[in-house]
Structures are given as structure tokens and as C-alpha cells.
Amino acid sequence: MNSKDFTAGLAELRGLRDEIKTLRKQLAKLETARDKQITALAAYEKAKAERIAPAAGVSVADVVALAPTLAPPAPPQPQEEPAPTPQAATNAAGRPEPTGVPAPDLRRAPGKPAATGTAPDTTITGGSDAPPAVGTPSSHPGPGRQPTTTPAADGEQPEQVRELPSIPPGQDGDTWFTATPNLTSTRPNFTQQPRQMAFLDATTGVLVHRDTTTRLNLGTGSVADILIAVYATVPATVERIYITAGDPWHRDAERYPFLRDAVAAWLNGPLPDGWKIESTRGRDRLAGHLVHPRNPVGRWQRGDQHTEIRSVGEWFDPDGATPATVRDAFVLLWRALHRHWPDVTLMGSPSQTGRDLWSRTIPTKAGAKWADGYPVMSEEIRGLLHATAGQGRTELITPPKVPDRLPQLIELDRTFAYAKHTWASGVGIPRRITAAAFAALSEKDQINALFAPSHWHIRVTIPHDWNHVGLLPAPAAGDRTWHYPAEPGRTFTTWAGGAEVNLALRNPHTPWKVEILDGLLWEAGSPLREWSTRLKDAWASLRAIAATHGDPKQRTAAHLASRAVRAILLYGIGAFAQRPRITTGTVPTGAEHDIPTGAQIIGTDGHTITWQRDTGFARDPYAHPEWAAGVWSAARAALLSTKMREDNLFVGALHLPPGSVVAFRTDAIYTTTDPAWPYHGHPGDYLKKGHLPGPVTGPRTEDELLSLQTLGRAHLAEEQEHHR
């Protein structure tokens, strides 16, 4: 082929591209007309899904999704089986449990792409990549039998357990499955305005602005003292003051029962003349303070001048770095991102920055999939996901499940883990898959549904011979949000993402019994892939600088910048979850009547009362909790089992000996076994981050675990230094 032939081939390819776009538009119109016709035919009193489906060229499940009234009844209970016990037939509130449909045996499923959003080169789950089964399935109750619920080992009573919401039956629930009117995620048509920054060590008083370093007298470290000292040195155009060390908001912490109270008192302290708490809003500016115990945000204004005081800990742990090094880290961060986003602006927090960068990857080319924007689901579905889709797994396993004295403690942490699970996500408005609709599916379609982006309301029975960690989250009692039951024979009802349900059905030991009660099923798409790929490239380039630069200060700055990229992706994903908005405010003591209705008092210093109020979900065009839930579910599944293709090796907690796992903390496993898993520095690889030789008294509390974590990391660092 010569240059002329190549050019001619490109022209032909463009023609084919345009023709495909035209045909796709025509196909979309035809499919819309078909769906309307199916809905119209379903109104006929004698209509049957099995007659409409072949005429429409779709499956029975597709017809049932469009016309739920055509769903066949759930499988009847076998007559010879005894009636369910009262405990098994009712939930914690005493209401009848819905009838479930057993999920198929996924161990027999052919090779499939994972439902986890994991890149193809490291699929967590998927047919031929599934870890070989160990042992045989336990005997489970039959499809129509309600298994007896076993109380939790720690003595929790069923009525104490938090009950998760469910989708209302019938038409009431079907109305949830719509888009929020006039609300879509579209690429912004404006460029964010950069904000000047200054970096302040509140302990030493060292302030860095651009190339200037100054030492300030911060007085008592109050808001007033900081504002006066800083703006006597830098211009009023500086809008962000990042605290790199010193945490001035904790200066009077010993006077308060909780850190949050001390932070609120500091933020609401006296101000210099002319200053007040910010009350205006802009496109990328929020009014008022964010009262956070460790990384608060204070916002003030003086006329047209706006200022934020923030903790650099939102982005990374500076770990003793000077303000100048922190400034260099932000410069390197901007440069790394600028290669992929020419219009990048570093916003106040990594979550804001991450979501803004993602919005600039939304397709805009005419004819491209989702070029008109990603629809935002109804508030009901968003609220359901908020209540039923947890984030990272945090669990401490104590005796007798682990020994009192541990032979050693190893910390294994997944590198940049969430970046591994953004390959595929659910897009659009989900289909509702009720138990009846699931029962109507062929086994092949049921398997396809369990491999697709999905979120399931399920009843779970743990095998009677189970001797490993729990696999699926369940609502917990008390202050805990989720726990992970592992007691053999126990039955519980919960919600779980498709990745975790998939793993539970074909884990490397014994498959769990899962009954489908209801579910949400999305079309598979890749809304996060380009964004994540660009961030991973920026992360890798900064890590390379951190490993090879000749200047130790620049190596440190590059390392901190790479951690900032991690925070952008991590908190950017969290921002999609769009939790209910919390509004915070203050009133003078004695003016309690000015506290808004429904607000909760969260602190007082004797002069000022601080309150907060849950104002519900805002009309956020970038609210996509389905994406956050999918990534979190995939990461929790990978914490248990994932395949390293380059090494043809399965890794994760389920590939450690039973009884050896002591704790989980988001992306980390704490274990008494050192598996020596390969580490290549890729996203998702397990890095040995700590080693504490034994015997060690096993932790009983979170604080004890963190203390052992610190000791283990220090000991491993000494070991590594000794072997250099």
C-alpha cells in the first residue's frame, strides 16, 4: 500500500463511519417505535409476553421490563415442603419477606467480561478466569423454601439490625425507573477560572506564595490572626490558603469533647473588621464553612474579596514537607494534568477537580453515544443507592475467629485500586428486574444479567461448611453501617453490587446461595474510562519522576503530586455518589429560635451555637451514584479475589488460609500470612506495606490496629533499609 492508497482508504473509512452513524440513528428510532408498540399491545387483556417477544425480536425479559404486568408468577412452593418458620418468613420489622428466585450456578458460565469495571488484562471474575472451586457446594434449602435465619455471633438481635429500603411493588416502584427531567451530564461550555494559592505552615509561620517565602507571626493561630498576617504579605487576589502543617483548628481541642466541636469553634471565631463568613455563590464556589474534624474548609469574604483556608491533607499527607515543596507538588500536578487537559484548573479539593476533569471528557461529537449527555436517574433511585451501596470494606476480625496471639502481622495494600475498576460502568436509566422477571429469563439471560453492571436486592444463605471471611455486606446494628457475616448456615437479606454477587456465586471455596428479590440492571458503557486512563497516565509519569529525579526535593514533590492524582480519582468517584447536602450555620447563644426547622445542634462554645441540616439531594447534573457504587463493589470483590494475568495467579483474601485474615481497611488486608504476591507497581497490585514480627497480641479495637500498622510499617522500612 502506498500513500495514495492509504489516503483513499481513509476517505472510504470516513464514509463508512458516517453511514454507520446514520443507520444507528435510524435504528434508535425503530427501537423506540418497537418499544411503544410492545407497550400498546401489553394493554390487551389476553396479551402474553411469550407471544409478543418473538414478534418483536426480543427476549421475554425485555418485554416484561417494558410491560411488568406481563411478568409470569413466581415459582410456586412445593406442596410437600413444610411451611416456613415465622422468623424466616418475616424481616426485622415483622413484615413478610418477598419471594426470591435462586441465582444460577455461575461456575458453569462460559468466559465472560467481568461485571466489575476491571480492565480486560486483569479480569477479576469471568468464566475461564474463575478460580478453581475447592470442595463441593453445601446442601441448601430448595427454591421455594425459606431458610432459618441464624442470629449474629456477637449476640445482635434481628430487630436491632438496620433495615434496608426496598423498591415498592408494582407501578409505584416502576415509576422510580425514570430520568430526572431536564437534568443531564453535559460537557461544560466555560473554562474554570484559576485561583491563586498560598501555602502556610501554621507551626513555623512560613508562608510561600509563588516564588516568595516569608515568615509570619501568626499570634494565637486564630482565623483573625491568620487572615491579618497573610494579607499583610500577599495580594488580595490570593483566594486559597493551604495549611501544610500545624492544624490551627485543633489549637483548643482539649477544651472540647469532640474534634468537630473544636473545629467549629475555630471556624466561627471572631473576625477582623470588614470580614464575614462567605455568603455568595459562584459556579465553582460554595458558601459557608465545611466543618470536618481533620480537613475543614473555612470560607470568608471582605467586600468582593473571597478567601478559603483549607488543609492540604485533602490532597495528600505532606509528611513533613516544607511549604515550598508542597507548592512544587501542585506545580508538578498541574503540569502532569495539563498534558491531557489543556484547560485544566486545580480547584479547591480533589473531588471538585476530579469531577470537573471528568466533565471535560463527556463526548460532544455529533452521533457519538451519549453526546447529548448522561441522564441523571430519579431521586428515588439515587436515594436507594445512597442507602444500599457502601464504600470501602472496613472490618476487624477478633478471636475466636483469629488467634489471641498472632505469629506476625502483614499489611498488604492495593496500589491505586479504584483506578482498576473504571473500565466499564452502568449507563442510562436501569431496568428493573423483579424476582418474577428474573424467573422468566432463560438461564443464559440470568447469567448475562449477573455479569452486567447491576445492583441486587438479595437473600443470602452462607454454606454450612463455610470457614473463611464473609463475602457480602449486610446492614449492621448500632453505629456500624455494614458488616460481613461469615457464620455457617446464616441467612440474611441485603443489597449488593453485581461484582460481589458474582463472586459469592463462584468463589474459590464453596458457592453461596443467593436468591434474587429485586434488582437494577444497566446498559454497559465506559463513561469513566477516558478520564481514568488519563489520570493513570499522569500518576505513572509522576511516579517515574519520583523514582529518578536527581533533586531529592523534586522527588518528594513528584511523590506528593502522584498522591494528589490518586486523590482526584478516589474522591472524584466519591463525588458521583452525591450524598444528601449538609448545610452548616451558627447563631448566638440565646437565639435558638433562629435555628432552622429540622436542624441538629452539633456544637457550642458558650457564645455561639453551630447547627447542621440535611437538605436532601440537590439538582446536580453530575450525580451518578451508580458509577461510584459499581467501582466500590468491584473493589470490595477484588479485595477477596482477583487475577494477575501477567503472573497467571489469583490473589486476595480468599487465597489466604482460613483464619489468617485479621482485618480489612478499604484496599488493605492485614494477615498473619506473607503470600509473597508479585508486585509490578500497577494499579490494583498488592504492595507489602508493613511487617510486624510476632508473636503479636491481636488488635481488639481500631486504635490498636492502627498502632500495629504504624509499628509494622516502621519495621518493614528498617528491614528494607538493612537489605539495601
Side-chain angles (χ1 to χ4, degrees), residues 41 80 130 265 307 309 316 324 354 382 387 435 448 473 477 529 544 562-563 580 585 589 618 627 698:
L41 291 173
E80 68 276 12
T307 298
I309 296 181
F316 46 73
R382 284 182 278 146
N448 288 339
R529 187 185 302 175
S562 73
R563 299 296 293 172
T589 300
W627 299 344

Side-chain angles (χ1 to χ4, degrees), residues 359-441:
S359 71
R360 298 174 193 280
T361 65
I362 298 174
T364 57
K365 196 171 183 180
K369 187 73 170 176
W370 308 110
D372 294 330
Y374 294 99
V376 174
M377 298 181 300
S378 69
E379 185 171 327
E380 291 83 359
I381 290 294
R382 284 182 278 146
L384 178 72
L385 287 171
H386 171 67
T388 62
Q391 195 170 352
R393 177 170 181 167
T394 301
E395 181 183 19
L396 179 62
I397 303 172
T398 56
K401 297 177 183 177
V402 295
D404 286 296
R405 298 281 286 173
L406 309 178
Q408 62 178 341
L409 188 64
I410 304 292
E411 179 186 1
L412 303 167
D413 186 66
R414 295 186 72 216
T415 297
F416 204 12
Y418 284 3
K420 197 67 180 174
H421 306 292
T422 53
W423 190 259
S425 304
V427 288
I429 305 305
R431 292 166 47 194
R432 181 180 187 180
I433 305 294
T434 63
F438 192 81
L441 296 174

Side-chain angles (χ1 to χ4, degrees), residues 600-632:
Q600 175 187 9
I601 296 175
I602 61 173
T604 180
D605 61 0
H607 304 285
T608 303
I609 298 172
T610 304
W611 55 263
Q612 72 176 21
R613 182 175 59 170
D614 182 346
T615 56
F617 292 102
R619 277 184 59 85
D620 185 350
Y622 301 130
H624 290 286
E626 68 275 22
W627 299 344
V631 171
W632 294 338

Side-chain angles (χ1 to χ4, degrees), residues 262-587:
V263 171
W266 184 84
L267 289 170
N268 293 292
L271 295 172
D273 289 343
W275 287 92
K276 64 178 182 178
I277 296 174
E278 186 180 63
S279 59
T280 60
R281 291 177 183 269
R283 229 170 195 154
D284 64 346
R285 184 187 290 124
L286 296 175
H289 303 319
L290 170 64
V291 182
H292 187 279
R294 300 199 178 276
N295 295 316
V297 180
R299 301 183 178 98
W300 300 271
Q301 66 182 99
R302 180 172 58 179
D304 294 333
Q305 178 185 355
H306 296 269
T307 298
E308 291 183 334
I309 296 181
R310 313 183 72 113
S311 169
V312 80
E314 292 181 88
W315 293 86
F316 46 73
D317 178 2
D319 195 22
T322 66
T325 301
V326 172
R327 173 207 57 200
D328 291 346
F330 275 83
V331 171
L332 289 173
L333 171 64
W334 182 87
R335 289 175 180 170
L337 296 174
H338 185 260
R339 287 196 294 270
H340 299 285
W341 285 278
D343 58 350
V344 61
T345 294
L346 296 181
M347 303 181 71
S349 70
S351 62
Q352 291 172 318
T353 304
R355 199 161 66 164
D356 181 67
L357 293 178
W358 171 79
S359 71
R360 298 174 193 280
T361 65
I362 298 174
T364 57
K365 196 171 183 180
K369 187 73 170 176
W370 308 110
D372 294 330
Y374 294 99
V376 174
M377 298 181 300
S378 69
E379 185 171 327
E380 291 83 359
I381 290 294
R382 284 182 278 146
L384 178 72
L385 287 171
H386 171 67
T388 62
Q391 195 170 352
R393 177 170 181 167
T394 301
E395 181 183 19
L396 179 62
I397 303 172
T398 56
K401 297 177 183 177
V402 295
D404 286 296
R405 298 281 286 173
L406 309 178
Q408 62 178 341
L409 188 64
I410 304 292
E411 179 186 1
L412 303 167
D413 186 66
R414 295 186 72 216
T415 297
F416 204 12
Y418 284 3
K420 197 67 180 174
H421 306 292
T422 53
W423 190 259
S425 304
V427 288
I429 305 305
R431 292 166 47 194
R432 181 180 187 180
I433 305 294
T434 63
F438 192 81
L441 296 174
S442 66
E443 184 178 59
K444 179 181 177 182
D445 286 341
Q446 288 181 346
I447 291 171
N448 288 339
L450 293 171
F451 275 92
S454 52
H455 191 63
W456 299 98
H457 193 195
I458 53 177
R459 184 162 47 244
V460 182
T461 301
I462 303 174
H464 292 285
D465 58 356
W466 187 255
N467 67 344
H468 221 299
V469 298
L471 305 185
L472 293 168
D479 294 333
R480 293 180 299 167
T481 304
W482 303 95
H483 67 149
Y484 296 81
E487 297 82 13
R490 180 172 179 177
T491 293
F492 60 95
T493 300
T494 189
W495 283 85
E500 292 165 285
V501 174
N502 193 306
L503 177 67
L505 290 168
R506 58 199 196 104
N507 70 79
H509 297 277
T510 305
W512 286 24
K513 181 185 176 183
V514 175
E515 296 174 83
I516 303 298
L517 306 176
D518 214 334
L520 294 78
L521 181 64
W522 285 271
E523 175 185 342
S526 54
L528 304 179
R529 187 185 302 175
E530 182 180 352
W531 173 71
S532 174
T533 299
R534 294 183 190 184
L535 289 176
K536 284 186 284 189
D537 182 78
W539 173 78
S541 67
L542 289 167
R543 279 168 59 94
I545 295 172
T548 61
H549 202 286
D551 184 345
K553 292 182 180 178
Q554 288 300 299
R555 288 202 299 270
T556 299
H559 169 71
L560 296 178
S562 73
R563 299 296 293 172
V565 174
R566 174 187 177 275
I568 287 172
L569 185 136
L570 178 70
Y571 295 117
I573 288 171
F576 288 121
Q578 198 234 7
R579 291 171 175 82
R581 185 183 296 273
I582 304 296
T583 301
T584 303
T586 61
V587 298

Side-chain angles (χ1 to χ4, degrees), residues 54-339:
V58 297
S59 69
V60 170
D62 291 329
V63 173
V64 170
L66 290 168
T69 56
L70 300 183
Q77 271 195 331
Q79 294 299 318
E80 68 276 12
E81 293 187 354
T85 64
Q87 185 182 28
T90 60
N91 57 24
R95 291 191 290 271
E97 284 275 19
T99 301
V101 176
D105 185 353
L106 293 190
R107 294 172 303 163
R108 297 185 285 107
K112 285 183 174 294
T116 62
T118 304
D121 59 333
T122 50
T123 306
I124 289 178
T125 58
S128 58
D129 288 331
V134 179
T136 57
S138 313
S139 58
H140 297 299
R145 185 180 300 167
Q146 303 283 352
T148 301
T149 302
T150 303
D154 58 7
E156 294 173 3
Q157 297 300 315
E159 62 272 18
Q160 294 177 314
V161 176
R162 175 174 54 95
E163 185 179 359
L164 296 178
S166 58
I167 305 172
Q171 187 63 33
D172 289 343
D174 295 339
T175 60
W176 289 18
F177 290 78
T178 58
T180 300
N182 304 315
L183 196 63
T184 56
S185 304
T186 55
R187 185 180 293 208
N189 57 6
F190 64 93
T191 301
Q192 296 287 0
Q193 296 302 306
R195 314 291 181 190
Q196 286 194 43
M197 310 175 193
F199 302 91
L200 175 65
D201 184 327
T203 301
T204 64
V206 172
L207 175 75
V208 173
H209 173 238
R210 296 185 182 273
D211 296 327
T212 302
T213 300
T214 311
R215 187 178 295 273
L216 307 178
N217 180 359
L218 298 179
T220 63
S222 67
V223 171
D225 288 343
I226 290 175
L227 290 176
I228 291 171
V230 168
Y231 285 106
T233 305
V234 303
T237 50
V238 171
E239 296 189 43
R240 291 194 188 116
I241 303 169
Y242 280 111
I243 304 298
T244 65
D247 297 344
W249 39 81
H250 292 162
R251 67 190 182 118
D252 292 328
E254 67 279 357
R255 294 174 48 195
Y256 298 91
F258 302 104
L259 276 180
R260 187 183 184 92
D261 297 337
V263 171
W266 184 84
L267 289 170
N268 293 292
L271 295 172
D273 289 343
W275 287 92
K276 64 178 182 178
I277 296 174
E278 186 180 63
S279 59
T280 60
R281 291 177 183 269
R283 229 170 195 154
D284 64 346
R285 184 187 290 124
L286 296 175
H289 303 319
L290 170 64
V291 182
H292 187 279
R294 300 199 178 276
N295 295 316
V297 180
R299 301 183 178 98
W300 300 271
Q301 66 182 99
R302 180 172 58 179
D304 294 333
Q305 178 185 355
H306 296 269
T307 298
E308 291 183 334
I309 296 181
R310 313 183 72 113
S311 169
V312 80
E314 292 181 88
W315 293 86
F316 46 73
D317 178 2
D319 195 22
T322 66
T325 301
V326 172
R327 173 207 57 200
D328 291 346
F330 275 83
V331 171
L332 289 173
L333 171 64
W334 182 87
R335 289 175 180 170
L337 296 174
H338 185 260
R339 287 196 294 270

